[in-house]
Amino acid sequence: MRLGRRPLFFLGVSITFLALLVPTPEEFRRVNLVMAGLAAFWFVLLAIEEVSGRGGGTDEGGRA
Amino acid sequence: MSLAVVLIIAVALSFDFFNGFHDAANSIATVVSTRVLTPRQAVAWAAIFNFVAFLIFGTHVAKTIASDVVNSDLLTNAVIFSGLLGAIAWDVLTWYVGLPTSSSHALVGGLAGAAVAKSGWAALIGSGFQKIAVFIVMSPLIGLLLAFTIMTGIYWAFHKYRKVDKLNRGFRRGQLLSAAAFSLGHGGNDAQKTMGVIAVLLFVNGHLAKAADGTIPIPLWIVLSAHTAIGLGTLFGGWRIVHTMGSRITKLQPAGGMAAETAAAITLFFATYSGVPVSTTHTITGAIVGVGTTQRLSAVRWGVASRVVWAWVLTIPGAFLISYFAYLPFRALS
């Protein structure tokens, strides 16, 4: 079983927010945590979607 | 007020005017490309909200620029002038080669370069730079995540709705609000950077004193003139650029445009209230990438995204170097 690029992209975004925790000033660290959590949520959801065979994204939507 | 001070204020306001001139396209391109408004109506809409932003946001970002980037006690008229010169030169250079750089980061890099040329590295305030540097990376990513979340929420909420025309009409109306919100965020964050420069200039020349908390207060006339300059820049420049922007980069459906603008506006509101100078261009680019990601990764124009990454890397050092060398003749004269 191999995960597609989209879930891994959001995993990467989540890791980036966590990696930025150290240089982020203390008063903004909760932003990193909330965003890392949101990205991790999308990673899990998109991974489940792909594993369950419903993945691949939609063809309609935001861009023309 | 001396002639030199008046001239430097004029240069700072020109910088603000050109900021509005170029960045207006970010907030109106989607409204124009989806034919919600004509280009002229759209720039007027954006300019109004650029201006009224002064009623909503405080002056936290202006205080960050005035007090947290460079030690204001070491600044002189020549340093501020060289800093502005470096920022403007960098903006013009990168506009010519088509690199989507941030005027805000150019301003920070420019002030830093001229200050270091005068007083060495001790002139810089590390904590202020750290905050700005972290948000250079974080603001597009926040925009991306919020846009993806909003767009997915729209799919979930309306995927069974069959009256597509009625739905699109609703999103078109929604785009009026989201474009207004983005213009508010743009006016709020970007105009304040110029306010910070003018305030520190007046402090250096003894026209303003520091408050008890060590920050430089921003008088109302500075607030109004900065918002007027950015609003006029939007009014005069936006409609010329929007024809290219609307079709080349941000060809979105009404729902996608609304999601991207709303996400970028939320990011800018947060940054502005928190006193963090961020790039409006990078934030909206991140949000558009977020909307594209709801389809598939290949739907995103990664070429544009990678140019933004280069802009991250190059802007502060580039403006820093130009301002550093722009200050050297003043150092030789003193």
Side-chain angles (χ1 to χ4, degrees):
Chain A
M1 185 179 64
R2 188 171 161 274
L3 278 182
R5 285 187 301 168
R6 221 157 52 132
L8 293 177
F9 174 74
F10 282 96
L11 180 65
V13 172
S14 181
I15 291 170
T16 306
F17 274 110
L18 290 177
L20 285 169
L21 262 177
V22 178
T24 301
E26 206 166 325
E27 70 262 34
F28 296 114
R29 284 186 185 162
R30 66 185 190 283
V31 179
N32 293 53
L33 293 174
V34 169
M35 288 297 144
L38 185 59
F41 169 77
W42 287 120
F43 161 67
V44 172
L45 230 61
L46 290 168
I48 290 172
E49 190 183 52
E50 288 204 358
V51 169
S52 65
R54 298 172 59 201
T58 63
D59 288 324
E60 60 202 352
R63 280 178 180 264
Chain B
M1 209 178 282
S2 69
L3 182 64
V5 173
V6 173
L7 283 177
I8 298 171
I9 289 175
V11 173
L13 291 174
S14 306
F15 176 78
D16 210 17
F17 178 88
F18 283 110
N19 188 326
F21 190 93
H22 287 290
D23 286 5
N26 294 337
S27 46
I28 61 176
T30 60
V31 200
V32 174
S33 62
T34 53
R35 296 170 192 263
V36 174
L37 292 176
T38 66
R40 281 179 192 279
Q41 288 170 333
V43 287
W45 186 252
I48 288 167
F49 287 96
N50 273 175
F51 180 75
V52 300
F54 83 93
L55 294 169
I56 296 165
F57 303 105
T59 51
H60 304 296
V61 176
K63 283 174 182 162
T64 300
I65 293 287
S67 316
D68 294 350
V69 175
V70 174
N71 186 344
S72 49
D73 295 320
L74 299 174
L75 290 176
T76 62
N77 288 348
V79 170
I80 297 169
F81 178 72
S82 305
L84 283 168
L85 206 65
I88 292 170
W90 178 257
D91 273 356
V92 171
L93 187 73
T94 53
W95 167 75
Y96 186 74
V97 297
L99 198 64
T101 55
S102 159
S103 306
S104 321
H105 300 153
L107 185 61
V108 170
L111 281 178
V116 168
K118 179 183 180 283
S119 309
W121 292 99
L124 304 184
I125 299 173
S127 57
F129 257 89
Q130 192 180 343
K131 184 164 74 173
I132 292 166
V134 162
F135 273 88
I136 285 177
V137 183
M138 277 183 31
S139 62
L141 290 179
I142 295 172
L144 183 154
L145 268 179
L146 291 180
F148 182 87
T149 306
I150 293 169
M151 196 64 212
T152 308
I154 290 172
Y155 283 143
W156 281 348
F158 296 105
H159 74 284
K160 286 184 179 166
Y161 201 83
R162 293 290 166 243
K163 293 176 182 169
V164 178
D165 284 345
K166 195 176 173 189
L167 199 59
N168 269 336
R169 269 204 304 278
F171 284 127
R172 280 170 201 273
R173 288 200 191 105
Q175 261 198 294
L176 282 178
L177 293 179
S178 61
F182 183 78
S183 298
L184 269 181
H186 173 221
N189 204 287
D190 277 9
Q192 286 196 42
K193 290 150 194 161
T194 307
M195 290 178 212
V197 173
I198 297 174
V200 83
L201 175 73
L202 294 178
F203 167 76
V204 164
N205 287 276
H207 300 298
L208 277 180
K210 279 186 180 176
D213 62 356
T215 59
I216 300 170
I218 316 290
L220 183 64
W221 73 265
I222 297 181
V223 176
L224 289 177
S225 53
H227 279 284
T228 304
I230 200 167
L232 285 175
T234 300
L235 203 58
F236 281 94
W239 73 275
R240 288 173 192 274
I241 300 167
V242 75
H243 290 297
T244 334
M245 281 285 290
S247 56
R248 192 167 61 90
I249 300 173
T250 55
K251 195 157 187 176
L252 299 167
Q253 299 286 13
M258 198 184 85
E261 284 167 352
T262 307
I266 293 170
T267 311
L268 293 178
F269 286 1
F270 166 76
T272 308
Y273 271 117
S274 308
V276 186
V278 294
S279 163
T280 49
T281 307
H282 294 181
T283 307
I284 189 73
T285 305
I288 290 168
V289 168
V291 169
T293 311
T294 55
Q295 301 175 66
R296 55 193 185 281
L297 284 186
S298 58
V300 174
R301 292 177 184 175
W302 291 104
V304 177
S306 67
R307 289 172 82 85
V308 170
V309 173
W310 276 110
W312 284 351
V313 177
L314 293 175
T315 297
I316 290 185
F320 181 100
L321 283 175
I322 296 174
S323 295
Y324 184 93
F325 288 111
Y327 182 76
L328 291 183
F330 292 105
R331 193 166 76 177
L333 287 173
S334 63

